[in-house]
Amino acid sequence: MANQRPQYGQGGGFQQYTPTIQGYPQQQPNQGMHILSNQDAYGVNQQVGDEEYNRLLKNYKLAHERIEETRLQMLEQEKQNAILRKHILLLEGGDSPNASVVGSHSSGGGGSTVDDFTIKNSSSGLERRINRWAADTLQAHARSAPAPPPGSDLGPHLALIPLAEALYSDLDNAQDSPFLTALAQAEFDYVGLGLVVQSLLRHVMSQMLSEGIVNELLVTNSDEANRELTKLHEQLFNREPLVASVWRRQTFSAAVESLDPAMSIALFAEHMPRLFSVINPNPHELHPSLQNILEASYTFSRMLHASKSPTGGGGMESSGFYRAYVPDLGSQLDPTKLELIKKCYRTERGEPERVGACLFPGLVKVSAIDTAPAPAQSLRLGGQNVKPVTKRDTRVLVVRRAQVICECALAAAPGLTAPGQAPAQQ
């Protein structure tokens, strides 16, 4: 450190220079002697007893031993996790070089996988098939109806009234729709009944697809066994999502290729009893059009449940499974879950609008997200691992929004207006 210049005092003489170190004046010799003579008061050169020294050394060694034990435990846990992931991949067919891949890419862990793009394409194909079935059913029923007397002013929509009445009795929450309530009060005498019946046919088929096929594990031809398997999967998912995922895929790998006639008829009779008696006169044999819809729906369900998620790799993301949902009739439109197939000016103007019918169910992916923190150490508890608070959340991701038509589109034809609602131009 450079020496400072000497400073002049007030009397014109030189003052004694005191060197400084980092801004603090250096201690004078008499101050050092004072500290040495009073070292007990300053705490200098105090001896530590052997007992205290041994105690500190023992605690120091004990802390290091516990840290080493924790490190070895974590390494052993990583080995066990690696073994578990390997067993899961073996169960999923991960080591098989000829594993089939459904979709545009695989999960890296092998096995049959399905991605959202494949699901959307398959959903679109099934939606077109259901739409064609609804149109053919409508036309066939209209052709089979007796012709009106010559010279009468009866409209062709009157032939569809039996279908409309059957649909109204089979639909869930039909009374919650102001439009359908007004339609039933008018005894379904409505010029635009053709569009209403076709839309409701697709809605009731969407209900059966959602509640009876996709959301139920149809593995056998026994309805009671399928219900028990569905409950078992739900319990497994709540406890161990990864185990439930592997169990579900292995169970569907042994599922029946197709449902037998008795099971098929029981499925339709459960979800659309009155409509089924109208469109399928023979109660012991399924109509070919209904059989084709059921086979396509069952194949779609097996693709969803029997395939591995592309986000696998042993984590919680691979535990996800798919569920279908159908919005309630008369419920408010939710753009995050619903998609209108026709332009609705009421919605664009910010006015509230309700669901008229669901034309195809939406799909969501349900996954378990484990947010448990890493185990922490507490010296107060003797270095033992403190058990973390396990927190597992369920994430629901919309894969494909439900296709719906609004009430104002169904009420666009003249002659009928729902209470409290004026038809909007489409």
Side-chain angles (χ1 to χ4, degrees):
M1 184 174 185
N3 295 332
Q4 298 180 355
R5 294 178 181 271
Q7 299 179 356
Y8 288 96
Q10 296 178 357
F14 289 94
Q15 293 181 353
Q16 184 180 359
Y17 166 67
T18 303
T20 59
I21 299 177
Q22 296 181 353
Y24 296 94
Q26 187 177 13
Q27 294 180 353
Q28 299 296 330
N30 55 354
Q31 295 179 355
M33 293 298 296
H34 178 70
I35 293 176
L36 290 177
S37 61
N38 300 279
Q39 56 182 344
D40 292 338
Y42 283 92
V44 180
N45 200 20
Q46 290 184 356
Q47 297 293 332
V48 179
D50 293 340
E51 183 179 354
E52 182 70 16
Y53 176 78
N54 292 333
R55 187 183 66 83
L56 293 175
L57 183 60
K58 182 179 179 180
N59 291 339
Y60 183 76
K61 291 181 179 180
L62 184 60
H64 274 276
E65 290 176 358
R66 286 170 178 168
I67 292 176
E68 181 65 18
E69 290 178 1
T70 303
R71 188 183 68 85
L72 295 177
Q73 291 176 1
M74 294 179 66
L75 291 177
E76 183 65 24
Q77 187 177 5
E78 287 294 331
K79 292 180 182 179
Q80 295 297 330
N81 290 338
I83 295 175
L84 179 60
R85 285 193 293 266
K86 184 177 180 181
H87 282 300
I88 292 176
L89 291 179
L90 287 175
L91 290 174
E92 294 172 346
D95 292 342
S96 177
N98 299 323
S100 61
V101 176
V102 181
S104 60
H105 62 279
S106 64
S107 63
S112 177
T113 65
V114 61
D115 57 357
D116 294 344
F117 182 75
T118 304
I119 292 175
K120 292 180 180 179
N121 285 343
S122 302
S123 301
S124 299
L126 183 57
E127 180 184 359
R128 290 191 296 268
R129 187 186 294 264
I130 293 177
N131 184 28
R132 173 52 56 188
W133 164 80
D136 293 344
T137 301
L138 187 70
Q139 294 177 2
H141 197 81
R143 288 194 301 265
S144 61
S152 63
D153 55 351
L154 299 178
H157 66 278
L158 297 179
L160 305 177
I161 291 181
L163 271 180
E165 293 176 345
L167 286 168
Y168 185 79
S169 62
D170 289 343
L171 289 173
D172 297 336
N173 302 322
Q175 294 78 11
D176 297 338
S177 172
F179 171 72
L180 293 181
T181 302
L183 195 64
Q185 293 175 355
E187 297 181 354
F188 301 98
D189 187 4
Y190 175 50
V191 177
L193 191 61
L195 176 62
V196 176
V197 169
Q198 184 173 352
S199 301
L200 295 182
L201 283 172
R202 298 176 65 177
H203 184 97
V204 73
M205 187 62 73
S206 298
Q207 280 187 352
M208 191 193 74
L209 173 62
S210 174
E211 300 173 3
I213 299 179
V214 175
N215 295 345
E216 293 282 341
L217 300 186
L218 297 183
V219 182
T220 68
N221 283 315
S222 172
D223 182 64
E224 182 179 358
N226 293 334
R227 294 182 186 275
E228 292 297 328
L229 290 175
T230 303
K231 293 179 181 179
L232 178 59
H233 173 262
E234 183 178 356
Q235 295 174 359
L236 285 176
F237 182 80
N238 293 332
R239 297 178 59 183
E240 295 294 339
L242 287 177
V243 176
S245 177
V246 176
W247 177 85
R248 183 181 64 253
R249 288 192 288 270
Q250 293 299 314
T251 302
F252 264 92
S253 64
V256 294
E257 293 295 333
S258 60
L259 301 178
D260 59 10
M263 182 67 183
S264 303
I265 294 176
L267 195 62
F268 279 99
E270 178 184 359
H271 294 278
M272 51 180 80
R274 186 171 176 183
L275 176 66
F276 184 63
S277 62
V278 174
I279 62 178
N280 194 85
N282 188 356
H284 304 290
E285 184 179 357
L286 198 63
H287 194 273
S289 60
L290 296 177
Q291 183 66 36
N292 294 334
I293 291 293
L294 182 61
E295 291 179 356
S297 301
Y298 183 67
T299 302
F300 178 73
S301 176
R302 291 188 62 188
M303 180 199 68
L304 294 178
H305 295 308
S307 301
K308 182 182 176 183
S309 172
T311 57
M316 281 295 179
E317 289 291 336
S318 61
S319 66
F321 67 100
Y322 296 94
R323 291 185 63 87
Y325 65 94
V326 174
D328 295 334
L329 294 173
S331 60
Q332 296 292 329
L333 293 177
D334 185 0
T336 61
K337 298 180 180 180
L338 310 178
E339 182 179 0
L340 287 170
I341 65 164
K342 283 191 174 185
K343 192 174 182 180
C344 180
Y345 291 96
R346 292 176 59 89
T347 304
E348 291 184 352
R349 292 195 299 262
E351 301 176 6
E353 186 50 78
R354 291 180 291 267
V355 175
C358 177
L359 307 182
F360 192 80
L363 290 175
V364 296
K365 183 179 180 182
V366 183
S367 304
I369 306 298
D370 199 351
T371 59
Q377 256 194 352
S378 175
L379 295 178
R380 293 183 178 180
L381 299 179
Q384 299 179 359
N385 289 339
V386 180
K387 186 177 180 181
V389 179
T390 303
K391 184 180 180 182
R392 180 171 294 167
D393 298 332
T394 301
R395 185 180 68 178
V396 180
L397 179 64
V398 178
V399 178
R400 190 178 192 270
R401 293 183 294 175
Q403 308 296 304
V404 300
I405 185 172
C406 58
E407 278 192 348
C408 61
L410 298 180
L416 182 68
T417 300
Q421 173 182 341
Q425 183 181 0
Q426 299 294 315

